Amino acid sequence: MAAATGPDVSRDEAFTRMVAQYQGAIGRMCFLYLRDRTAAEDALQETFLKAYKRMGTFRADSQARTWLMSIAINTCRDMNRSAWLRHTEKRVTPEELPIPADPVDEDALALAEAIRRLPGKLRDAILLYYYQDMTIKEVAEALHAAPSTILKRLNQAKDMLRELLCDEPSAKGGVTHG
């Protein structure tokens, strides 16, 4: 049996490093997107399976995290469209959140629910920019959109979130944008 050398070893090592570095972030993104721990685990595995198969198409001009987030979002979208997931319970209790929480923060839960209610393109931009700490450029690459489009989506999402979270948005007078 020949020793394992050549391009596959380098590819496998690079893939192993990517999994170790990004599985937590990708898993959280999948959970936030799908709101189901089992489905998120499936999406995480599917994301890395697709990434491994596509390692030869990975362009070094984009970051691995951006590339993986793009694959993960598309995988989650596909799963959301599947008949099985549409019929499962999607409410999440604080105990199911992937990050340990101190006492239940009602404002944080309300914000998470409002984000879930956003249209897909706006939700994707919010999740990547604020929850994954990606730059506008990285979000644009991951979502295959122009940076100006991402800025517009973020502003639209913030406006919608204000409306969803405020009892009477018009009664507050001018709302400042931040």
Side-chain angles (χ1 to χ4, degrees), residues 35 110-120 122-123 160-161 163-165:
R35 301 177 301 266
L111 177 60
E113 184 55 35
I115 290 170
R116 287 186 191 104
R117 293 172 54 196
L118 291 174
L122 302 183
R123 181 181 57 239
M160 287 183 75
L161 288 171
E163 289 178 23
L164 290 169
L165 293 171

Coordinates of all heavy atoms in Angstrom, one line a residue, residues 35 110-120 122-123 160-161 163-165:
R35 N -34.0 26.5 13.6 CA -34.7 26.5 14.9 C -35.0 25.1 15.4 O -36.0 24.8 16.0 CB -36.0 27.3 14.9 CG -35.7 28.8 14.5 CD -37.0 29.5 14.4 NE -37.9 29.1 13.4 CZ -38.0 29.5 12.2 NH1 -37.2 30.5 11.8 NH2 -38.9 29.1 11.4
A110 N -37.4 38.1 22.4 CA -38.3 38.8 21.5 C -37.5 39.2 20.2 O -38.1 39.1 19.1 CB -38.8 40.1 22.2
L111 N -36.2 39.6 20.4 CA -35.4 40.0 19.2 C -35.2 38.7 18.3 O -35.4 38.8 17.1 CB -34.1 40.6 19.6 CG -33.1 40.9 18.5 CD1 -33.7 41.9 17.5 CD2 -31.8 41.4 19.1
A112 N -34.9 37.6 18.9 CA -34.7 36.4 18.1 C -35.9 36.0 17.4 O -35.9 35.6 16.2 CB -34.2 35.3 19.1
E113 N -37.1 36.1 18.0 CA -38.3 35.8 17.3 C -38.6 36.8 16.2 O -39.1 36.4 15.1 CB -39.5 35.8 18.3 CG -40.8 35.4 17.7 CD -40.8 34.0 17.0 OE1 -40.1 33.1 17.4 OE2 -41.5 33.9 16.0
A114 N -38.3 38.0 16.4 CA -38.5 39.1 15.4 C -37.6 38.8 14.2 O -38.0 38.9 13.0 CB -38.3 40.5 15.9
I115 N -36.4 38.4 14.4 CA -35.4 38.1 13.4 C -35.9 36.9 12.6 O -35.9 36.9 11.3 CB -34.0 37.8 13.9 CG1 -33.4 39.2 14.4 CG2 -33.1 37.2 12.9 CD1 -32.1 39.0 15.2
R116 N -36.5 35.9 13.2 CA -37.0 34.8 12.5 C -38.2 35.1 11.6 O -38.5 34.4 10.6 CB -37.5 33.7 13.5 CG -36.4 33.0 14.2 CD -36.9 31.9 15.1 NE -35.8 31.4 15.9 CZ -35.6 31.7 17.2 NH1 -36.5 32.4 17.8 NH2 -34.6 31.2 17.8
R117 N -38.9 36.2 11.9 CA -40.1 36.6 11.1 C -39.7 37.5 9.9 O -40.5 37.8 9.1 CB -41.0 37.4 12.0 CG -41.7 36.4 13.1 CD -42.5 37.1 14.1 NE -43.5 38.0 13.5 CZ -44.2 38.9 14.2 NH1 -43.9 39.1 15.4 NH2 -45.1 39.6 13.6
L118 N -38.4 37.9 9.8 CA -38.0 38.7 8.7 C -38.0 37.9 7.4 O -37.8 36.6 7.5 CB -36.5 39.2 8.9 CG -36.3 40.2 10.0 CD1 -34.8 40.5 10.2 CD2 -37.1 41.5 9.7
P119 N -38.2 38.5 6.3 CA -38.0 37.8 5.0 C -36.6 37.2 4.9 O -35.6 37.8 5.5 CB -38.2 38.9 4.0 CG -39.0 40.0 4.7 CD -38.6 39.9 6.1
G120 N -36.4 36.1 4.2 CA -35.2 35.4 4.1 C -34.0 36.2 3.8 O -32.9 36.1 4.5
L122 N -33.4 39.4 4.2 CA -33.1 40.3 5.3 C -32.5 39.6 6.5 O -31.6 40.0 7.1 CB -34.3 41.1 5.6 CG -35.0 42.0 4.5 CD1 -36.1 42.8 5.1 CD2 -34.0 42.8 3.8
R123 N -33.2 38.4 6.8 CA -32.7 37.6 7.9 C -31.3 37.1 7.7 O -30.5 37.2 8.6 CB -33.7 36.4 8.1 CG -33.3 35.5 9.3 CD -34.3 34.4 9.4 NE -34.3 33.6 8.2 CZ -35.4 33.3 7.5 NH1 -36.6 33.8 7.9 NH2 -35.4 32.6 6.4
M160 N -37.7 47.0 9.9 CA -38.7 46.0 10.1 C -38.6 45.5 11.6 O -39.7 45.3 12.2 CB -38.6 44.8 9.2 CG -39.1 45.2 7.8 SD -39.0 43.7 6.7 CE -40.5 42.9 7.3
L161 N -37.4 45.3 12.1 CA -37.3 44.9 13.5 C -37.8 45.9 14.5 O -38.5 45.6 15.4 CB -35.8 44.6 13.8 CG -35.3 43.3 13.2 CD1 -33.8 43.2 13.4 CD2 -36.0 42.1 13.7
E163 N -40.2 48.0 13.9 CA -41.7 47.9 13.8 C -42.2 46.7 14.6 O -43.2 46.7 15.3 CB -42.1 47.8 12.3 CG -42.0 49.1 11.6 CD -42.4 49.0 10.1 OE1 -43.2 48.1 9.8 OE2 -41.9 49.9 9.3
L164 N -41.5 45.5 14.4 CA -41.9 44.3 15.1 C -41.8 44.4 16.6 O -42.6 43.8 17.3 CB -41.2 43.1 14.5 CG -41.5 42.7 13.1 CD1 -40.4 41.7 12.6 CD2 -42.9 42.1 13.0
L165 N -40.8 45.1 17.0 CA -40.5 45.1 18.5 C -41.1 46.3 19.2 O -41.3 46.2 20.4 CB -39.0 45.2 18.7 CG -38.2 43.9 18.2 CD1 -36.7 44.2 18.3 CD2 -38.6 42.7 19.1

